[in-house]
Amino acid sequence: QVQLVESGGGLVQAGGSLRLSCAASGVTLSMGWFRQAPGKDRVIVAAISWSGSTTYYQDSVKGRFTISRDNDKNTMYLQMNSLKPEDTAIYYCAAHKKSVNVVIHADEYGYWGLGTQVTVSS
């Protein structure tokens, strides 16, 4: 069983930046960041393969967000720049139990963190 703990969320003005971290209690395979805004479904933000060589981004965050990982530290990151009010959501990290490749569907992930709130004011 792997436990995931997100950190780095907070309140920021539009145009600002935040860096989210996801610390895992053990070795993880493919990982991803998801977000859920009030009244909406949880959606993929970005995903990364085990090696870090392959990444995926939701269209709305391309060019603004960067996903990365440090397997020596069992930690994944999400650098978020040029934040917009529509980025406001709870951000969750997830880890896959078996795949080393990028996984973009939430129901395929087996491990989830509790989430961290990101609020972007206009």
Side-chain angles (χ1 to χ4, degrees):
Q1 187 77 8
V2 173
Q3 294 184 335
L4 304 175
V5 179
E6 303 96 337
S7 62
L11 173 64
V12 64
Q13 288 188 331
S17 298
L18 284 173
R19 188 194 196 202
L20 304 183
S21 298
C22 173
S25 61
V27 174
T28 55
L29 301 178
S30 63
M31 299 185 74
W33 286 100
F34 290 76
R35 67 187 181 188
Q36 187 167 19
K40 296 187 177 180
D41 293 333
R42 189 174 299 189
V43 297
I44 183 81
V45 176
I48 189 167
S49 62
W50 171 77
S51 68
S53 62
T54 305
T55 57
Y56 168 89
Y57 295 95
Q58 182 196 108
D59 285 346
S60 67
V61 307
K62 285 180 180 177
R64 300 189 297 124
F65 291 9
T66 302
I67 189 171
S68 62
R69 64 188 298 164
D70 184 338
N71 288 342
D72 290 336
K73 297 181 179 179
N74 292 332
T75 302
M76 176 178 65
Y77 306 96
L78 185 69
Q79 178 66 44
M80 305 187 295
N81 299 328
S82 302
L83 282 161
K84 304 176 181 180
E86 51 263 42
D87 294 318
T88 295
I90 299 175
Y91 283 70
Y92 299 90
C93 71
H96 201 280
K97 292 183 178 181
K98 296 181 179 180
S99 178
V100 297
N101 300 313
V102 165
V103 177
I104 63 173
H105 299 293
D107 58 4
E108 295 186 46
Y109 282 91
Y111 302 114
W112 290 88
L114 296 179
T116 185
Q117 176 71 47
V118 171
T119 303
V120 185
S121 63
S122 57

